[in-house]
Amino acid sequence: MSVTSRYRQAWEGFWREASDEPGSVFWDAEPPLTAAVHLGLFEPLLADPALPLIDLGCGNGTQTRFFAGRFPHVIGVDLAAAAVEHARRADPAGQAAYRQLDATDKTEAETLHAELGDANVYMRGVLHQCEPDDRRPLADALATLVGARGRAFLVEPSEAAGAVLRGLAQSPEGPPAKLAPVFRHGIAPGEVSDAAVTGHLTAAGLTVLEAGELPLTTTEHTADGTRIRIPSTWLVVGRAV
């Protein structure tokens, strides 16, 4: 299966409208606050750090470029062609490779795995952004991409995140400026229970190797200047040894 045309168009519209200015996208926080923190949790659990690293849902490639300085072969993939173009413009030196990929499409995932072999995967908030029928196919794609030797690191908003996001959306002043385009384009995160996230992964044949809680830092601030942080859960998954 593949994503619906409505969902694809929503992401294309979002990324066509998005600015190239660093930090202009709600979740596009600086790597020292995001990918670097995640790498400290992810790297010790890699079975083979020399495998290609896929940044699945790379957006404009901010985190992809960070990983490109630490792994020998990094590729950023995204559903939206407009996002991939953002990433390429932001990386004129070609530190990483970028391509469009519908990760819910079994054939596309298998084709990428045939090209790269087993890979390590970084995925931040993508499962929650999927429509419900796409979540299991996405988990299946993760299993395909990691193969026998790879590991996947996921960060997903926890159940507590729903109340935070609703509070921001329903503020008397309206949602924060950087969050408003997310709602306007109809791609607001869906609510998925922590157990459901694990369930999708295990049903795809993946084993949770380690998990914990770690807020996702955003680029947006509250009225008092504090960074907005979304309650989140992280997991490292792979094939059972």
Side-chain angles (χ1 to χ4, degrees), residues 13 35 51 57 73 111 113 135 158 164 185 205 231:
L51 294 178
H73 183 193
T111 298
H113 181 261
R135 291 171 188 152
S158 65
V164 174
H185 286 280

Side-chain angles (χ1 to χ4, degrees), residues 8-53:
R8 186 188 298 272
Q9 290 166 5
W11 277 108
E12 291 288 1
F14 174 85
W15 282 112
R16 282 196 299 269
E17 181 183 294
S19 168
D20 281 333
E21 186 69 25
S24 62
V25 175
F26 181 70
W27 54 80
D28 191 31
E30 307 91 318
L33 302 176
T34 47
V37 176
H38 301 152
L39 183 60
L41 300 167
F42 184 30
E43 197 167 28
L45 295 169
L46 294 178
D48 187 350
L51 294 178
L53 177 74

